[in-house]
Amino acid sequence: MEQKPAKASRKPRADSARNRELLLQAAREVFSAGGPGASLEGVARKAGVGIGTLYRHFPTRDALFEAVYRGDIDRLADLAEQLSKEAGPVEALRLWLREGVEVVATKKGMMATLALATDGKQDLFAYSHQRLTAAATALLSRAVEAGEIRDDITPEDLLRALVGLCHAPDRPGWRTSVARLVDVLVDGLKRGNG
Amino acid sequence: MEQKPAKASRKPRADSARNRELLLQAAREVFSAGGPGASLEGVARKAGVGIGTLYRHFPTRDALFEAVYRGDIDRLADLAEQLSKEAGPVEALRLWLREGVEVVATKKGMMATLALATDGKQDLFAYSHQRLTAAATALLSRAVEAGEIRDDITPEDLLRALVGLCHAPDRPGWRTSVARLVDVLVDGLKRGNG
DNA sequence: TTGCAAAGCGGAGGGTGCCTCCGTATAGTA
DNA sequence: TACTATACGGAGGCACCCTCCGCTTTGCAA
């Protein structure tokens, strides 16, 4: 029942690793500027690499998104944990949502990633989805157990709201508008408003 | 200072009007199924009309959206007026948002239209934007004047929330999730939750 | 070092969609 | 019926998507 031939596989090639980095860097820039619809050929051009190379490293557009923004997802998930220790249950929720908004604000491409990560269907985003869901679950259940918010809101609801509110982060007054809405939403979560 | 030559202009051609209708019908179907990214060439094909004809009638994708969904926008705006008479201030808000969600649920293409109409920048959507903003303003200010909700929420905030919550109307449990969030939002609007 | 094959490169090519332009067809009018 | 304003339609130029495969580079072993 041997798992793998384990063929003493040779060291990964240096040019491959280098190109991968070049692509990630280029994608970061292109996506941040141009949003989720940005051209992959543009990314390859900017990286100074053939389009074929891009597709070999990242077989789909989503794979590239995943690779580019996984770090941000992780940071957001970690933040939830930290806030659970440092802030009251409701305040932690509020601050977490605000930070989520803030992250998106600086990276248009992040929106698409967040949306995909929120969607459980994509195998590719299973990891990100799991991390975000766990973060949302933790924040919500803590507040529920403290008896401070209603108990019928799912983590999916919270993520949906986060992603939804972040759409169109270009419009004048976006930040303040979304900040208000986050407040409204969090207030609405509190017990005894029904 | 004659405004126009008023050249006893000839009657508009029958084929033109017919094709316009064919295009609208085809667009309705294609957009409803395929969302905002659906192919315009596909619309033309489905209408049995050349692509040039499509572009002559609707110079941009947005113009087509506008024409297809203006009726829905109007209906939504009218509903706000009606609800103002038939329901309490806060309840009217809640019901209006719910209806907005419902309209989008059945028409993917509507999402894009709503988003565009919410955005003031598009001259093309000036009418729709104005109608929706007026509707939101009426509902909000009525509730504010009744002292039932906070007074720092703008019509733009409300529309942003509506559009935002309606994203990704495909996911399982979408309806109930959004329904919950609308409730949370409206609860959060109420006075005395800060 | 050298030779070799695995691993990786890159861009041509076929497909789709966007939008414009203009020769051709046709509906209204005289 | 003839004439012309009006409308039609699709070819053409562009950009992008993604695949495929001949060529290059790299790591490794002799």
Side-chain angles (χ1 to χ4, degrees):
Chain A
M1 211 193 261
E2 43 187 23
Q3 322 268 48
K4 268 188 183 181
K7 275 194 66 181
S9 56
R10 54 159 51 175
K11 194 165 93 183
R13 285 173 55 155
D15 52 350
S16 176
R18 179 167 24 91
N19 281 336
R20 193 190 156 85
E21 279 319 303
L22 286 173
L23 281 165
L24 282 175
Q25 183 53 35
R28 222 180 304 275
E29 294 172 27
V30 170
F31 286 164
S32 286
S39 145
L40 295 191
E41 305 215 315
V43 171
R45 271 196 299 277
K46 179 156 224 157
V49 135
I51 184 66
T53 298
L54 185 151
Y55 276 97
R56 194 164 338 91
H57 282 285
F58 308 101
T60 67
R61 171 181 294 269
D62 290 348
L64 187 49
F65 272 116
E66 214 275 338
V68 167
Y69 292 110
R70 171 173 284 209
D72 292 295
I73 298 278
D74 274 335
R75 237 162 285 138
L76 201 53
D78 292 342
L79 177 67
E81 209 174 330
Q82 188 187 332
L83 285 172
S84 287
K85 295 172 195 157
E86 299 180 0
V90 173
E91 208 49 26
L93 261 172
R94 190 189 310 270
L95 291 173
W96 190 68
L97 289 175
R98 286 227 178 118
E99 183 56 25
V101 170
E102 217 45 41
V103 172
V104 171
T106 56
K107 297 159 193 172
K108 287 194 203 170
M110 183 69 189
M111 250 301 284
T113 310
L114 208 53
L116 286 164
T118 304
D119 192 335
K121 279 184 187 171
Q122 301 267 357
D123 279 3
L124 191 60
F125 283 83
Y127 169 82
S128 298
H129 178 251
Q130 192 273 111
R131 290 227 58 187
L132 286 181
T133 305
T137 304
L139 289 169
L140 282 174
S141 62
R142 176 162 168 255
V144 167
E145 277 159 25
E148 298 198 14
I149 68 168
R150 54 195 282 181
D151 62 2
D152 63 340
I153 298 301
T154 69
E156 285 75 25
D157 293 346
L158 193 68
L159 294 176
R160 164 177 295 283
L162 174 58
V163 174
L165 291 184
C166 284
H167 88 282
D170 290 327
R171 302 246 273 278
W174 179 78
R175 293 260 193 126
T176 56
S177 176
V178 175
R180 274 193 298 275
L181 289 172
V182 165
D183 279 349
V184 169
L185 201 83
V186 173
D187 287 349
L189 286 173
K190 290 182 194 162
R191 271 203 170 288
N193 297 329
Chain B
M1 212 193 258
E2 45 187 23
Q3 324 266 49
K4 268 188 182 181
K7 279 195 64 183
S9 57
R10 52 159 52 177
K11 191 165 95 183
R13 287 175 53 158
D15 52 351
S16 176
R18 178 167 25 89
N19 281 335
R20 192 189 156 85
E21 280 318 302
L22 286 173
L23 281 166
L24 281 176
Q25 183 53 36
R28 223 180 304 275
E29 294 171 26
V30 170
F31 287 163
S32 287
S39 142
L40 295 191
E41 305 214 313
V43 172
R45 271 196 300 274
K46 178 155 224 157
V49 136
I51 185 65
T53 298
L54 185 150
Y55 276 97
R56 195 166 336 92
H57 283 284
F58 308 101
T60 66
R61 169 181 295 267
D62 291 348
L64 187 48
F65 272 115
E66 216 275 337
V68 168
Y69 292 111
R70 171 173 286 209
D72 292 295
I73 298 278
D74 274 336
R75 238 163 285 138
L76 200 53
D78 291 342
L79 177 66
E81 210 172 330
Q82 189 186 329
L83 285 173
S84 288
K85 294 172 194 153
E86 300 180 359
V90 172
E91 208 48 27
L93 261 171
R94 190 189 310 271
L95 290 172
W96 190 67
L97 289 176
R98 285 227 179 119
E99 183 58 25
V101 170
E102 219 42 43
V103 172
V104 170
T106 57
K107 295 159 193 171
K108 287 193 205 173
M110 183 69 188
M111 250 301 286
T113 310
L114 208 53
L116 286 164
T118 303
D119 191 335
K121 280 184 185 170
Q122 300 266 358
D123 279 7
L124 191 59
F125 283 85
Y127 169 81
S128 297
H129 178 252
Q130 192 274 112
R131 289 228 58 187
L132 286 180
T133 305
T137 304
L139 290 169
L140 281 174
S141 63
R142 176 161 168 258
V144 166
E145 277 159 26
E148 299 197 16
I149 67 167
R150 53 195 282 180
D151 63 2
D152 64 338
I153 299 300
T154 69
E156 285 75 25
D157 293 347
L158 193 69
L159 294 176
R160 163 179 295 282
L162 174 58
V163 175
L165 291 184
C166 284
H167 87 281
D170 291 327
R171 302 248 272 278
W174 180 78
R175 293 262 191 124
T176 55
S177 176
V178 175
R180 274 193 297 274
L181 289 172
V182 165
D183 279 350
V184 168
L185 200 84
V186 172
D187 286 349
L189 287 173
K190 290 184 193 161
R191 268 200 172 288
N193 296 329

